[in-house]
Amino acid sequence: MKSVINKKIGGISMPSLVNGFRLLQSSYTIPYNKSVNRTGSLFRQKAKFKNISNNNYEFVCLNYIHQNPYMAGLCSRMEDWEFSSFKDYVGQRNGTLCNIELALEMLNLVRDSFYQDSYNVISDDKIKNLL
């Protein structure tokens, strides 16, 4: 697992990902506020950083995203859902949106067992414990 890269903004140090969300939100908020002649935040709370490396969160999250249409009954197999990166991860499509090799490395995934591992059901209790 890669370590968190911090970004120093003024006197504050924050994870680069949090800073990215901060920039995304402000790049939307500033023009919107100008267009409706208002000031202030549009979003209720600032982006927060939570260390999630202890709970295997990344692996659960990736599987949750891939399993969502399957669990909702929108498809009979995860690889049948056209709008998912699952096909790319299992080698059935050569998409360029996801960096599969980087994800496999960062999440310590094994390509040969990824398909079978992805079909393991994630219990609601396990998901609640991560949040």
Side-chain angles (χ1 to χ4, degrees), residues 1-109:
M1 182 72 192
K2 304 264 185 204
S3 63
V4 175
I5 299 170
N6 285 320
K7 176 105 174 154
K8 188 163 174 90
I9 310 291
I12 300 170
S13 181
M14 67 180 72
S16 294
L17 182 62
V18 173
N19 185 53
F21 278 106
R22 181 188 67 82
L23 292 172
L24 177 68
Q25 289 176 342
S26 66
S27 67
Y28 174 79
T29 300
I30 292 168
Y32 178 81
N33 280 347
K34 284 182 181 179
S35 73
V36 295
N37 197 28
R38 72 177 295 275
T39 61
S41 178
L42 295 178
F43 305 99
R44 290 190 170 251
Q45 66 181 3
K46 294 180 179 181
K48 294 181 180 179
F49 170 74
K50 180 179 177 184
N51 185 355
I52 56 175
S53 61
N54 296 338
N55 295 323
N56 203 18
Y57 181 85
E58 301 91 346
F59 180 72
V60 172
C61 186
L62 180 68
N63 280 300
Y64 176 80
I65 291 167
H66 286 157
Q67 289 177 358
N68 227 358
Y70 171 70
M71 298 297 273
L74 298 172
C75 57
S76 58
R77 300 176 315 156
M78 287 188 283
E79 57 269 31
D80 293 339
W81 190 248
E82 179 184 349
F83 308 104
S84 171
S85 60
F86 184 73
K87 284 184 169 189
D88 302 318
Y89 279 88
V90 297
Q92 293 181 358
R93 181 176 61 195
N94 190 16
T96 57
L97 185 60
C98 300
N99 185 336
I100 307 300
E101 294 305 319
L102 179 62
L104 293 173
E105 177 187 333
M106 290 184 72
L107 301 177
N108 295 320
L109 301 173

Side-chain angles (χ1 to χ4, degrees), residues 109-120:
L109 301 173
V110 178
R111 185 181 294 274
D112 294 339
S113 64
F114 182 81
Y115 183 86
Q116 186 62 40
D117 294 343
S118 297
Y119 271 97
N120 291 335

